[in-house]
């Protein structure tokens, strides 16, 4: 397949004019080719777009290319005169992003949106013009990935941009897929950025975008993004991991040979057919698992065996039994992601066995039908079911529903930290007494489960029964635990809960409840203070409230509610003498 590195070196024909403040249409005399009848009048493809068309024809043969060529012409003309940090024409970036998405097999609307994804942000082209030229579907996708204006939003711009992407992804997951491809290409070209920016950009990528790729199950993107960010954050460790893994993989085939020699007849004896392959692990995963100690890295540490079974779920379980009959299994190391799929719809059986040479060997078993989703996640569903899956499949992504449930309550200052916590790696699956499966991040507690079941359950919880035994709310949960949350009317969160709440929903709702309680207490204190002061002036506060005088005064002072005015008095924001003067008319 064509790679982005190749695309990044492409130079569009023609000398770019100097950029100016005028509209690109006025500057170039350019009229966007119209849709419908004018499609056939779209110009022939420029040489620069040839790599994209080659990928499109290889992955999606027979697809109409007219709209894609029109999108490229518009993007190239709008970005003409703009340069990347590398000195390459800017169009090489949206073109490269589109090639990534074409390699994934994304639909035409997504590819056109990828070509145009920076036009509204970086050129005078407006969203309204784009909508008129390319239609509502493309406009929604471009709007979803367009950053908010930094001058207008200030320090809140990054957090609110991510909130915007999350909300757009809730309506159409293709927005997030475009954003991931955009970030992947920026990571591939990160070497052209100043050194002080590389580490910060890579860190943000690993904390936010890589987890999003994993949550959508797009492991093809996730693995490369992880390794590129790793290289930028710690070049020496990345180089060491690369050398160690390459060295180990050179001996992979002879190292795995004896195990395969036992596995193949064991599977044949059970009537199971399929294909084994040696799957290298990505560098960052090896580095993290070994905690940087790569001395003596063996082929079994650098790669795993993948078995694609010809058959369904039942055949996968039969294959697991055959693997365990041929090679001694390690107790407690079987993970069944078929019966309990991961949060990103991933399905496979994982097991660890002892090879004939005494090495610990990881084996992954899945059916051929499961394989596309295991590699491409939501993209596989979109390709199979059409663009409607980009909306429909989000119902199966519990993590997205959970994120949407708390994001509106998180202020900008706390949103990114909460998002990082919510996207943290790890996957714990616990059961409620009714049999409902709830996915939580590693380290989650019974309190986190309570809030995962709903804010009301969380606020009223007082303890939990884990596998029938009474435990504290701070008890850390393990996969397979059956947990019943105990509640009590009139209960409420305490400041202490923030010490062991792990998930973003729990932390956001606890802070919100505590802030609401503090505001209520401040309002009550302010009202008492004003009541006592007005009593000395023979003014009845209760009557003033009943007649609407208190609300009128509150709004004159800029407070939407009377309680807000009382709280401002209690906290010293309002002066008591000034407030008395308004109530007494003095």
């Amino acid at each position: 397949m064509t790679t982005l590195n190749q695309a990044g070196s492409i130079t569009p024909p023609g000398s770019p004019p100097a950029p100016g403040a005028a509209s690109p249409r006025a500057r170039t005399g350019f009229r966007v080719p119209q849709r419908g009848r004018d499609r056939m009048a779209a110009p022939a493809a420029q040489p620069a777009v040839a790599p994209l068309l080659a990928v499109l024809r290889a992955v999606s043969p027979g697809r109409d290319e007219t709209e894609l060529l029109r999108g490229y012409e518009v993007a190239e003309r709008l970005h003409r005169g703009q340069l990347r940090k590398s000195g390459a024409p800017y169009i090489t970036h949206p073109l490269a992003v589109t090639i990534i998405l074409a390699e994934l097999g994304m639909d035409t609307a997504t590819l056109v949106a990828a070509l145009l994804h920076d036009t509204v942000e970086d050129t005078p082209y407006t969203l309204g013009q784009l909508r008129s030229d390319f239609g509502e579907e493309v406009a929604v996708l471009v709007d979803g990935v367009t950053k908010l204006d930094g001058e207008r939003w200030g320090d809140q711009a990054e957090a609110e941009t991510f909130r915007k992407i999350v909300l757009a992804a809730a309506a159409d997951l293709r927005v997030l897929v475009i954003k991931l491809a955009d970030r992947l290409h920026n990571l591939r070209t990160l070497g052209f950025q100043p050194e002080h920016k590389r580490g910060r950009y890579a860190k943000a990528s690993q904390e936010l975008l890589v987890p999003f790729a994993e949550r959508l199950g797009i492991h093809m993107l996730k693995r490369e993004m992880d390794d590129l960010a790793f290289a930028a954050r710690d070049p020496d460790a990345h180089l060491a991991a690369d050398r160690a893994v390459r060295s180990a993989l050179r001996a992979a085939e002879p190292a795995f040979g004896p195990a395969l020699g036992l596995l193949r007849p064991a599977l044949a004896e059970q009537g199971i057919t399929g294909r084994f392959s040696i799957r290298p692990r990505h560098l960052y995963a090896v580095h993290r698992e070994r905690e940087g100690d790569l001395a003596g890295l063996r082929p079994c540490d650098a790669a795993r065996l993948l078995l694609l079974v010809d058959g369904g779920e039942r055949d996968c379980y039969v294959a697991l039994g055959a693997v365990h009959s041929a090679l001694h299994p390690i107790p407690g190391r079987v993970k069944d992601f078929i019966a309990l799929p991961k949060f990103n719809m991933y399905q496979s059986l994982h097991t660890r066995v002892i090879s004939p040479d005494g090495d610990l060997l990881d084996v992954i078993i899945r059916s051929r039908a499961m394989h596309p989703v295991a590699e491409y996640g939501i993209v596989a569903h979109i390709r199979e079911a059409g663009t409607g899956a980009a909306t429909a499949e989000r119902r199966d992504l519990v993590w997205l529903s959970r994120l949407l449930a708390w994001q509106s309550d998180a202020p900008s200052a706390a949103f990114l930290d909460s998002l990082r916590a919510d996207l943290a790696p790890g996957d714990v699956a616990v059961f409620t007494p009714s049999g409902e499966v709830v996915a939580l991040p590693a380290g989650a507690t019974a309190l986190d489960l309570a809030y995962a079941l709903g804010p009301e359950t969380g606020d009223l919880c007082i303890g939990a029964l884990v596998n029938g035994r009474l435990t504290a709310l701070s008890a850390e949960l393990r996969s397979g635990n059956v947990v019943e949350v105990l509640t009590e009317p009139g209960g409420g969160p305490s400041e202490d809960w923030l010490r062991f709440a792990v998930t973003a929903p729990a932390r956001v709702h606890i802070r919100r409840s505590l802030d609401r309680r503090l505001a209520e207490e401040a309002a009550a204190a302010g009202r008492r203070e004003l009541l006592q002061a007005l009593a000395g002036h023979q003014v009845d506060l209760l009557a003033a409230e009943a007649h609407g005088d208190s609300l009128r005064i509150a709004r004159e002072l800029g407070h939407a509610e009377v309680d807000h005015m009382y709280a401002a008095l209690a906290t010293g924001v309002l002066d008591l003498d000034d407030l008395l003067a308004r109530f007494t008319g003095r």
Side-chain angles (χ1 to χ4, degrees), residues 308-550:
L308 291 184
V309 173
D310 298 325
E313 292 183 6
R314 176 186 174 280
D315 299 286
C316 291
Y317 288 107
V318 174
L320 177 66
V323 169
H324 286 173
S325 69
L327 299 173
H328 193 281
I330 303 298
R333 295 310 299 260
V334 176
K335 296 181 180 179
D336 185 350
F337 296 119
I338 293 179
L340 291 175
K342 286 189 175 184
F343 48 73
N344 53 21
M345 300 173 291
Y346 174 92
Q347 287 185 293
S348 292
L349 297 173
H350 289 211
T351 186
R352 177 168 287 183
V353 295
I354 301 176
S355 75
D357 295 331
D359 287 325
L360 298 181
L361 173 63
D362 288 318
V363 181
I364 301 173
I365 303 168
R366 67 176 72 117
S367 70
R368 292 185 185 274
M370 297 171 190
H371 188 60
V373 177
E375 294 293 300
Y376 297 100
I378 192 66
V379 170
H381 285 282
I382 294 173
R383 287 185 60 174
E384 181 180 351
T387 57
T391 300
E393 289 296 338
R394 75 177 189 271
R395 292 193 296 266
D396 296 327
L397 298 174
V398 176
W399 64 269
L400 182 57
S401 300
R402 186 176 65 200
L403 198 164
L404 291 170
W406 65 258
Q407 62 80 26
S408 61
D409 293 322
S412 295
F415 179 71
L416 284 183
D417 286 340
S418 298
L419 186 59
R420 291 186 188 98
D422 203 46
L423 295 175
D427 189 23
V428 175
V430 299
F431 297 86
T432 66
S434 63
E436 179 186 357
V437 181
V438 181
L440 297 167
T445 64
L447 179 63
D448 294 306
L449 172 63
Y451 277 100
L453 296 176
E456 300 81 6
T457 302
D459 284 347
L460 300 179
C461 67
I462 57 172
L465 294 175
V466 178
N467 299 331
R469 299 183 62 181
L470 183 63
T471 61
L473 289 171
S474 58
E476 186 174 326
L477 303 179
R478 307 291 181 191
S479 282
N481 285 163
V482 178
V483 187
E484 180 181 356
V485 175
L486 306 177
T487 61
E488 184 176 87
S494 69
E495 189 80 27
D496 190 53
W497 285 10
L498 292 172
R499 289 192 305 102
F500 50 85
V502 173
T503 63
R507 299 187 66 82
V508 166
H509 286 299
I510 291 168
R511 286 198 179 99
R512 185 185 182 194
S513 294
L514 292 175
D515 289 345
R516 185 167 57 244
R517 184 189 303 165
L518 288 174
E520 290 171 355
E521 291 173 353
R527 187 179 185 280
R528 284 195 301 270
E529 183 180 356
L530 181 60
L531 182 66
Q532 293 172 0
L534 288 174
H537 292 80
Q538 287 76 50
V539 175
D540 186 348
L541 179 58
L542 186 60
E545 290 172 340
H547 294 147
D549 294 334
S550 294

Side-chain angles (χ1 to χ4, degrees), residues 2 10 45-57 65 69 72 95 99:
T2 305
I10 294 169
Q46 300 183 41
V49 82
L52 170 59
L53 296 180
V55 170
L56 186 69
R57 291 163 186 170
E65 300 167 357
L69 293 175
Y72 173 78
L95 181 59
I99 289 175

